[in-house]
Amino acid sequence: MVAAESWLDRAAALALHGPAHGPNPRVGCVIVGADGAVLGEGWHRGAGTPHAEPAALADAARRGHDVAGATAYVSLEPCAHTGRTGPCTDALTAARIGAVRYGVADPNPQAAGGGEVLRGRGIDASLAPHAGCADVNRRWLGSVALGRPWVIAKWAQTLDGRTAAADGTSFWITGDEARDHAHHVRTQVDAILVGTGTVRTDDPLLTARPAGVPDPHQPLRAVMGLTDTPGARIWEDGTALRLATRDPREALDALAAREVRTVVVEGGGTVTTAFLRAGLVDEVHAYIAPALLGAGTRAVGDLGIGTMSDALRGQDVTATHLGADTLVTAFFTRGHQ
Ligand SMILES: NC(=O)c1ccc[n+]([C@@H]2O[C@H](COP(=O)([O-])OP(=O)(O)OC[C@H]3O[C@@H](n4cnc5c(N)ncnc54)[C@H](OP(=O)(O)O)[C@@H]3O)[C@@H](O)[C@H]2O)c1
């Protein structure tokens, strides 16, 4: 008999088929019969579509399996509320599922409590804490726990920490692979935010174009600052959001009101520094080019830190070679875990 751990590994893998962006978490579900046979599998494809449990039940029905008495392994606690779709607890109960194991308790107050509801109906439901299931939704879980969008600060820098040359030019610090990677990251988030300085200097489009092709998912683009930037390309299609504030918290509130769970702050240094000073950066993506400038704009300005023991230190660091460049990522908030 395969342990719950392995079935939850499977549920986490199924969850990854869902979109990383959007207001909902990624969830996977596998329904397993008493003999250990997989009866149905499903995952959530994004807000407004069936949750993973009904998707797995439908898959089992399609395959002609009766799931009465079977165990459902779900990466996240089944929801007990009616949102855009009905409660998963009802779907599992109606299908006469015998047991439910979930890898993470749902921290979202509107949807939580599904395990208790199921137990109240005589179903053997319990939390089986699973790191893989938590990892799938690290940003989403962090956002719910923090009560604000999860913030990724991203920049491209030279080896000596410059993000633009003395004349303001910053295009082409890094090469094609690094830029393409950054476009891929944009496809996984709900919003991109920059300051008015970057709009004025770089006139960026801020669309998601991995491999040069516009992605079907385009994050909301937001510009933060008090001055207007008329005529910039970002305003051309009328979809970008102007945030007339210098307060990072206010900017995040405005994004949260638009159901943003994850935002990439793409600079410039002034805005990135303001988020860091406010303790509002959860993850950093630094693309580092093997170039030296000596002068120019710094990636991060004064954080009011005067001694080494006060340095902000990241965790779960990764380093990825992208052509001649290196992407270093690090988490600065533990979030849910
Ligand atoms: N290499 C990279 O990854 C990268 C990325 C982006 C930009 N850049 C480069 O960075 C340079 C622009 O940097 P930047 O720092 O001037 O641009 P920025 O951070 O995009 O914008 C700065 C402006 O934003 C407004 N602002 C918003 N919040 C603020 C706050 N809390 N405090 C102060 N001002 C705030 C201010 O303008 P208002 O008067 O409108 O309020 C300020 O002048 C350009 O040379 C660009 O090419 C490089």
Side-chain angles (χ1 to χ4, degrees), residues 155-156 163-164 168 170 173 194-198 201-202 224-227 245-246 266-271 274 297:
W155 61 79
T163 52
S170 76
I173 286 186
V194 296
T196 52
T198 296
T201 315
D202 296 349
M224 175 177 170
L226 300 179
T227 51
T245 179
R246 288 182 172 185
E266 295 206 10
T270 306
V271 162
T297 314

Side-chain angles (χ1 to χ4, degrees), residues 132-327:
C133 291
D135 275 352
V136 168
N137 286 314
R138 186 162 183 169
R139 293 171 184 158
W140 185 89
L141 290 165
S143 165
V144 173
L146 294 161
R148 60 164 174 78
W150 179 266
V151 178
I152 303 166
K154 170 256 165 177
W155 61 79
Q157 67 166 70
T158 59
L159 269 185
D160 55 336
R162 307 285 173 167
T163 52
D167 66 356
T169 50
S170 76
F171 284 165
W172 320 123
I173 286 186
T174 48
D176 289 346
E177 287 183 45
R179 279 201 304 277
D180 191 53
H181 189 280
H183 276 284
H184 181 69
V185 172
R186 287 178 178 175
T187 69
Q188 301 176 330
V189 301
D190 299 320
I192 305 173
L193 181 137
V194 296
T196 52
T198 296
V199 171
R200 220 166 268 124
T201 315
D202 296 349
D203 197 12
L205 274 175
L206 299 182
T207 49
R209 303 181 307 277
V213 180
D215 195 77
H217 165 68
Q218 290 297 326
L220 172 69
R221 299 164 303 154
V223 180
M224 175 177 170
L226 300 179
T227 51
D228 284 330
T229 51
R233 293 194 300 167
I234 194 168
W235 308 120
E236 276 169 9
D237 70 358
T239 61
L241 176 67
R242 185 173 169 231
L243 300 171
T245 179
R246 288 182 172 185
D247 180 345
R249 173 66 67 175
E250 243 178 65
L252 289 184
D253 286 348
L255 294 177
R258 287 166 175 77
E259 290 202 312
V260 168
R261 284 275 175 216
T262 49
V263 55
V264 189
V265 173
E266 295 206 10
T270 306
V271 162
T272 301
T273 303
F275 273 80
L276 282 164
R277 283 190 79 107
L280 292 172
V281 172
D282 306 304
E283 190 178 334
V284 166
H285 291 189
Y287 295 86
I288 304 170
L292 297 166
L293 274 169
T297 314
R298 287 194 173 82
V300 176
D302 185 5
L303 297 179
I305 295 171
T307 186
M308 190 54 82
S309 57
D310 289 346
L312 304 178
R313 299 233 175 234
Q315 299 166 356
D316 300 338
V317 176
T318 69
T320 310
H321 290 294
L322 297 166
D325 309 311
T326 306
L327 165 64

